[in-house]
Amino acid sequence: MTPITKSATAPAGPLDLVGRVASVLGFLEAGLSWISALILALLLVIVLTAVGLRYLFGSGLIWSEELAIWLNVVLVAVGSPLAVTGALAMRFDVIVRLFPAAIQKIASILADSIAIDAGLILAFGGVDVVAAIGGTSTVLGLPEWLRYAVVAIGGGLTVLVLVGRALVQSGLPRAGSILAIGAGFYLAAHHLHGPLLETPSLAAGLVAAVGLLLAAPLPHTLIVGVSLAAPFGALLPEPALVQNTVVGVSKFLLLAIPFFLLAGGLLTTGGLAERLVHLAATLVGHRRGGLAQTTLVSSVMFSGASGSSVANAAFGAKVMVPALVAHGYAKPRAAAIVAASAMLDNIIPPSIAFLILASATNLSVGSLLVGGFVAGGVLAVALGIAIHLTSRGEQPVRSKASPSERGRAFLASLPALGLGVVVVVGIRFGVVTTTEASALAVAYALVVCLALRSLDRRSLTDAFRQAAGEAAAIGLLIGASAPFAFLLAVDRVSETVSLLVTALGGGALAVMLLSNIVLLVAGLVLDIGAAILLLGPLLLPSAIAAGIDPIHFGVILVVNLMIHGLTPPLGILVYVASGVSGARPAQVFREVLPFLLALLIALAILAIGSVSITRLTTA
């Protein structure tokens, strides 16, 4: 969360007004952060209690799953005002930064106005649903309108946070401007009448694209895109838009996301991730480019605990980049190594990307995770070869470790390595559901860190607050993608996509080739999570019709889109690694090119292998 500071250029005005707004805003944001953390803690207790009762006493809490889903909606609603600013906002400002300062200022006002509009849509649309909806939850006995009331409050608080920050940081003119323009966008969706389009989702896509170029928060851009498609014939009124958003996050599977984020955060703050780095150094530190290879291997090991590539990139940039620079690596190359290695986190289980794909397509999470092991191994080997070939003059970081030293490092790392084993084995063999496995992963990480006395109270609360904030941001993106995906389905865009990927025929090789091209192009302009949510359901039917195993295709889809964590203009992993390390993003993008080539070759190997398996099984 970005600290609130009064701008030197803010008007003196009523001297106390800005200061009072800053105090209230700071208190509000801190309160929302703590409430989000408490909700996450309550979710953890509910899921762990349900698991414990089922396996120890053969009973359970019939209301636990429903309550957990409702609380997840509350978590997203409460955390969404925090996800509109700072690193959680998913603002891609690469294009905007190329323009003069005056244009950047206008773009910034328009971007915040789009976020204001989205907040108004959630607020007023939520109120409309509350007024119209009836009934109670069968299991909980609570009125159904409560979930939508919380979303409406979250939308209103988003508007309040944006306007308050603009007032504190830039003064009343900017605050008034973004509120007036945002309200103008909102009214335009309700009162303007444009030409009726055969595919109104085209208008939604164009609006979303403009918002993306202006560096508006991605989830809010998707919501506004669907709203502003209404004048062009989109059959999704505002209350239905809000209902779709809530339904999009009302899945028990999605609770695994905050739990995996929390487990990875606990291991990092508890110092166990550093033990993995030491183990990796004993294994490969003596090779050419040994420290770079250590970075890669430690990233592979940390993948089994985190599930988040962004978290891995931040950790690697904080821990490994200074060490790489101290051993003679240029800072941009060091950041490129970290960014390229971090993409493995969403491939090697547990993987948040696979969870998102499973929620959008109903594919088996356990089967996707097994496929992720295979794909992760191929990608890791490809990156290892690329590091070796580009590490001329980069000497080993240490002498070859003795077997006893490797053994000690392995034993010290067992607590961290055990987390991945607990999760994957539990899911793959059906012992627990994915969400239950993620909760057990948090319990495991807590027990280990507390037993080793590597976690104090402040670190523990910080881990909960950070995981809750990140989960709310991801949840908001998933919810915002739901009405957009609904609009695509109504406009039968899947048929257009099917015609596109079968243009060279309906064979497995042709469909696989064209699908990968579509994904490679779309990934240049779409966030990875949004691309999975929107393109997964569109491309999967064509792949199945061509005889391609849906699990194989799902794995390749995620691998393809994760590569875009390293490509301009979005390249989120490059921006995280460069932001934490202080390297210039343009230089990091240049240094990452050899790794991109290696990953594309690995993608081609996986795709050809999948097609070959398809032919063998159908022969």
Side-chain angles (χ1 to χ4, degrees):
M1 187 163 41
T2 307
I4 301 175
T5 56
K6 179 179 175 181
S7 169
T9 60
L15 182 61
D16 299 333
L17 175 62
V18 174
R20 287 177 181 175
V21 171
S23 298
V24 171
L25 202 54
F27 179 79
L28 173 63
E29 292 186 337
L32 291 176
S33 179
W34 278 105
I35 292 172
S36 299
L38 289 173
I39 294 171
L40 178 55
L42 181 57
L43 280 169
L44 180 64
V45 171
I46 291 171
V47 175
L48 288 177
T49 300
V51 174
L53 288 175
R54 185 167 78 249
Y55 284 98
L56 295 178
F57 303 103
S59 62
L61 304 173
I62 60 172
W63 45 263
S64 61
E65 183 170 325
E66 184 78 6
L67 179 58
I69 291 172
W70 279 49
L71 285 174
N72 189 46
V73 174
V74 177
L75 174 63
V76 174
V78 171
S80 60
L82 304 177
V84 77
T85 57
L88 299 176
M90 301 183 193
R91 295 176 184 257
F92 305 108
D93 58 354
V94 182
I95 304 298
V96 170
R97 286 189 292 178
L98 300 176
F99 292 101
I103 302 297
Q104 291 186 35
K105 185 176 180 180
I106 295 172
S108 176
I109 291 173
L110 291 174
D112 281 350
S113 300
I114 289 172
I116 290 281
D117 184 15
L120 293 173
I121 292 167
L122 294 176
F124 291 119
V127 169
D128 288 343
V129 177
V130 168
I133 198 169
T136 59
S137 167
T138 306
V139 178
L140 299 176
L142 297 174
E144 288 286 349
W145 59 262
L146 278 176
R147 287 186 295 169
Y148 301 98
V150 174
V151 171
I153 292 171
L157 289 174
T158 297
V159 175
L160 184 63
V161 168
L162 277 166
V163 174
R165 275 185 169 258
L167 175 62
V168 171
Q169 296 178 344
S170 303
L172 186 59
R174 177 184 170 87
S177 296
I178 64 172
L179 182 59
I181 297 173
F185 288 153
Y186 180 80
L187 294 173
H190 290 76
H191 298 290
L192 291 183
H193 298 283
L196 296 181
L197 300 178
E198 187 176 345
T199 54
S201 56
L202 177 62
L206 290 174
V207 171
V210 171
L212 188 68
L213 293 175
L214 291 172
L218 178 59
H220 301 83
T221 297
L222 294 175
I223 292 173
V224 172
V226 174
S227 175
L228 287 178
F232 301 95
L235 300 177
L236 196 65
E238 188 173 277
L241 190 160
V242 174
Q243 284 182 300
N244 269 267
T245 301
V246 173
V247 169
V249 295
S250 297
K251 298 178 181 178
F252 189 63
L253 173 65
L254 296 179
L255 268 70
I257 293 175
F259 291 155
F260 280 137
L261 289 170
L262 179 57
L266 291 172
L267 289 189
T268 302
T269 56
L272 293 180
E274 295 179 2
R275 299 188 183 198
L276 295 176
V277 174
H278 177 63
L279 173 60
T282 65
L283 296 174
V284 296
H286 60 282
R287 299 181 180 277
R288 189 171 85 178
L291 193 55
Q293 298 284 8
T294 297
T295 302
L296 171 62
V297 174
S298 61
S299 185
V300 170
M301 294 177 179
F302 193 55
S303 298
S306 168
S308 166
S309 289
V310 171
N312 196 351
F315 169 76
K318 189 181 300 181
V319 174
M320 297 306 301
V321 168
L324 287 162
V325 172
H327 284 78
Y329 289 73
K331 186 178 287 187
R333 174 164 167 77
I337 292 169
V338 166
S341 302
M343 67 87 61
L344 296 172
D345 263 68
N346 264 321
I347 307 299
I348 299 174
S351 161
I352 290 174
F354 285 141
L355 293 176
I356 294 175
L357 178 64
S359 73
T361 60
N362 293 319
L363 291 176
S364 165
V365 176
S367 299
L368 286 171
L369 295 182
V370 173
F373 267 124
V374 177
V378 174
L379 295 168
V381 169
L383 288 174
I385 294 172
I387 289 173
H388 179 80
L389 294 177
T390 59
S391 291
R392 297 173 182 173
E394 296 169 356
Q395 298 301 317
V397 71
R398 54 166 298 153
S399 58
K400 187 173 183 178
S402 65
S404 60
E405 186 178 359
R406 289 178 176 174
R408 288 192 298 271
F410 175 74
L411 290 175
S413 301
L414 273 179
L417 295 172
L419 179 61
V421 175
V422 168
V423 171
V424 176
V425 170
I427 296 173
R428 186 67 184 100
F429 291 97
V431 179
V432 288
T433 66
T434 303
T435 299
E436 292 170 345
S438 63
L440 289 174
V442 176
Y444 176 93
L446 276 171
V447 169
V448 169
C449 289
L450 293 175
L452 296 175
R453 298 180 180 179
S454 58
L455 199 65
D456 57 29
R457 183 181 301 175
R458 181 171 182 178
S459 299
L460 180 62
T461 56
D462 286 349
F464 270 86
R465 292 174 67 183
Q466 180 176 348
E470 292 174 350
I474 295 172
L476 182 61
L477 173 63
I478 292 172
S481 299
F484 203 99
F486 177 84
L487 205 57
L488 293 177
V490 170
D491 286 348
R492 304 174 76 174
V493 174
S494 58
E495 295 182 7
T496 304
V497 172
S498 177
L499 290 174
L500 179 62
V501 299
T502 57
L504 299 179
L509 181 60
V511 170
M512 181 68 78
L513 173 63
L514 291 178
S515 295
N516 273 288
I517 291 174
V518 169
L519 290 167
L520 287 171
V521 173
L524 293 172
V525 293
L526 282 177
D527 169 77
I528 295 166
I532 292 173
L533 289 164
L534 298 177
L535 295 176
L538 295 180
L539 292 173
L540 189 61
S542 297
I544 294 174
I548 301 171
D549 184 283
I551 298 298
H552 293 178
F553 186 80
V555 171
I556 289 169
L557 180 146
V558 170
V559 169
N560 187 310
L561 293 174
M562 282 307 305
I563 290 175
H564 286 292
L566 308 175
T567 59
L570 304 184
I572 183 64
L573 299 180
V574 169
Y575 288 112
V576 170
S578 59
V580 174
S581 66
R584 290 178 57 192
Q587 294 176 335
V588 179
F589 276 123
R590 281 197 296 269
E591 292 290 342
V592 88
L593 287 176
F595 306 123
L596 268 177
L597 177 61
L599 291 171
L600 289 172
I601 292 173
L603 174 65
I605 292 172
L606 290 170
I608 293 172
S610 178
V611 172
S612 300
I613 292 173
T614 298
R615 288 176 174 174
L616 287 174
T617 54
T618 56

